[in-house]
Amino acid sequence: GAPEPGAPAGGVVQLRFRYGVWRTGGDCLLEDLFVAPPARGAGLGRVLVQAAIDRARVRGCRRIELDVNERNEAALGLYGSFGFGNESDSYDGARDLYMRLHLD
């Protein structure tokens, strides 16, 4: 993704899709979201998250999930603004927050 038409790419979002047995439908995992420092603050992250949600819906997914470090306040605010809820889990002394958004 680019912050504006004709600009160099400033960010990337990577998704993985699978069939979810418990919800009897598709699941989407938002594996990575990165916006380069010079492109931050222009709304590119928001556009990429919305594109991920839209793509998950087109693929028939019933939810989208991600994990984020508890110290990444900018990401937590961004995901929370879309309605992602979270639960925490410890892993090797670090704490990751697993966030989920139901699409149906």
Side-chain angles (χ1 to χ4, degrees):
E4 57 190 46
V12 64
V13 63
Q14 180 175 331
L15 306 175
R16 182 171 24 143
F17 298 96
R18 66 175 185 231
Y19 184 81
V21 176
W22 297 112
R23 295 200 39 92
T24 316
D27 280 343
C28 175
L29 177 62
L30 194 158
E31 286 193 342
D32 293 299
L33 175 69
F34 175 77
V35 176
R40 292 180 185 163
L44 180 57
R46 176 165 295 284
V47 168
L48 291 172
V49 172
Q50 186 61 60
I53 292 169
D54 293 345
R55 182 69 179 141
R57 284 192 169 117
V58 166
R59 296 273 308 247
C61 293
R62 301 191 64 187
R63 67 180 168 191
I64 184 168
E65 299 175 310
L66 58 92
D67 63 81
V68 62
N69 186 283
E70 69 180 337
R71 294 185 184 129
N72 191 339
E73 293 180 19
L76 290 170
L78 175 63
Y79 299 136
S81 74
F82 281 95
F84 281 85
N86 71 65
E87 56 188 68
S88 64
D89 190 22
S90 294
Y91 180 77
D92 288 340
R95 204 169 104 162
D96 289 328
L97 300 178
Y98 296 95
M99 303 184 84
R100 178 177 302 132
L101 176 67
H102 294 281
L103 300 175
D104 56 1

